[in-house]
Amino acid sequence: KDSSLINSRRVELEMKRNEYTEKLDMVINKLDQCVALMPWDWRPRAIRQELLMSHDRLDLALERIQEALLIEPGNREYLKMKARLHQLRGEKAESNRILKKLAANEKDPWTVYSMISKNYVDLGFIDSAIHIMNQFQKIYPGDRRAADMIKRFEMIRNLKKADSSDKKKSDSVSKE
């Protein structure tokens, strides 16, 4: 009795997944049509990109953003989308490479600098994250956000040092 109920629930779930996939594919197709109708307009591309990234279609999102960059290689918004996509794919180093290029000419560089520094923290390079924020602080001395980020990163660094120190102590005690 329980196995038949479980099987019927599995069938229902599979039907729902298929329905979801069909509708998602239809929406993506419609957005592709919008892009084809208005290749100069960035908005359908941005909407499609967000949809693909938020529904875990990261390979297709990468393919589409690369197509967009072939048409408009200098489009800063496309480059930001590509950097964000690389973050979602776990490719922090590639994301940082793109973000560093963007930071050089960004009107509001805070977003780029903060994304780079957060990537460094995710990679475990706390000192690099602090260095990036120090650079921002030197360029924009009145901006307090960098100082707040530096304090947070220093706290993280101190916690990691304390954790590794505690681990070394426990390892030496267990050897004795």
Side-chain angles (χ1 to χ4, degrees):
K1 191 174 183 178
D2 288 338
S3 66
S4 66
L5 179 63
I6 291 171
N7 286 334
S8 69
R9 295 291 182 198
R10 284 184 182 152
V11 169
E12 277 182 49
L13 180 61
E14 191 61 33
M15 288 173 50
K16 292 289 182 186
R17 280 188 185 139
N18 290 339
E19 184 181 328
Y20 165 81
T21 301
E22 286 176 20
K23 287 183 181 180
L24 181 60
D25 289 342
M26 181 195 66
V27 171
I28 292 168
N29 186 32
K30 294 296 180 188
L31 286 168
D32 287 341
Q33 290 174 11
C34 288
V35 169
L37 287 171
M38 303 177 293
W40 63 88
D41 192 352
W42 62 271
R43 293 172 296 185
R45 290 181 196 281
I47 293 168
R48 179 182 62 192
Q49 197 67 20
E50 288 298 320
L51 178 79
L52 291 170
M53 289 190 302
S54 65
H55 288 84
D56 204 29
R57 300 274 182 104
L58 301 181
D59 292 336
L60 185 57
L62 182 60
E63 184 181 310
R64 293 296 194 261
I65 200 64
Q66 287 173 331
E67 289 170 4
L69 285 165
L70 286 174
I71 295 167
E72 278 187 85
N75 187 310
R76 300 182 68 70
E77 295 307 314
Y78 293 166
L79 290 169
K80 286 179 189 174
M81 286 181 219
K82 188 173 181 182
R84 189 164 155 254
L85 175 61
H86 283 294
Q87 281 181 318
L88 291 173
R89 291 170 57 105
E91 301 163 350
K92 307 284 185 186
E94 180 62 19
S95 178
N96 275 355
R97 188 187 64 74
I98 295 167
L99 291 169
K100 284 178 182 177
K101 285 182 183 177
L102 285 170
N105 300 315
E106 185 65 32
K107 290 177 187 171
D108 179 22
W110 171 252
T111 303
V112 175
Y113 275 85
S114 64
M115 286 175 73
I116 291 171
S117 65
K118 287 175 186 172
N119 280 346
Y120 277 133
V121 169
D122 291 345
L123 290 168
F125 303 138
I126 308 297
D127 291 333
S128 296
I130 292 170
H131 178 72
I132 290 292
M133 284 293 108
N134 281 328
Q135 284 180 334
F136 183 85
Q137 208 169 28
K138 287 177 187 171
I139 297 168
Y140 303 97
D143 197 317
R144 299 172 93 82
R145 296 175 291 186
D148 292 340
M149 290 283 276
I150 290 169
K151 285 179 188 173
R152 276 190 250 148
F153 295 154
E154 286 174 343
M155 286 174 42
I156 292 169
R157 181 177 58 193
N158 293 338
L159 286 171
K160 284 190 174 199
K161 283 182 182 177
D163 286 347
S164 68
S165 170
D166 290 346
K167 186 177 183 215
K168 286 179 185 177
K169 287 179 185 175
S170 68
D171 287 347
S172 67
V173 168
S174 64
K175 288 180 182 178
E176 295 173 0

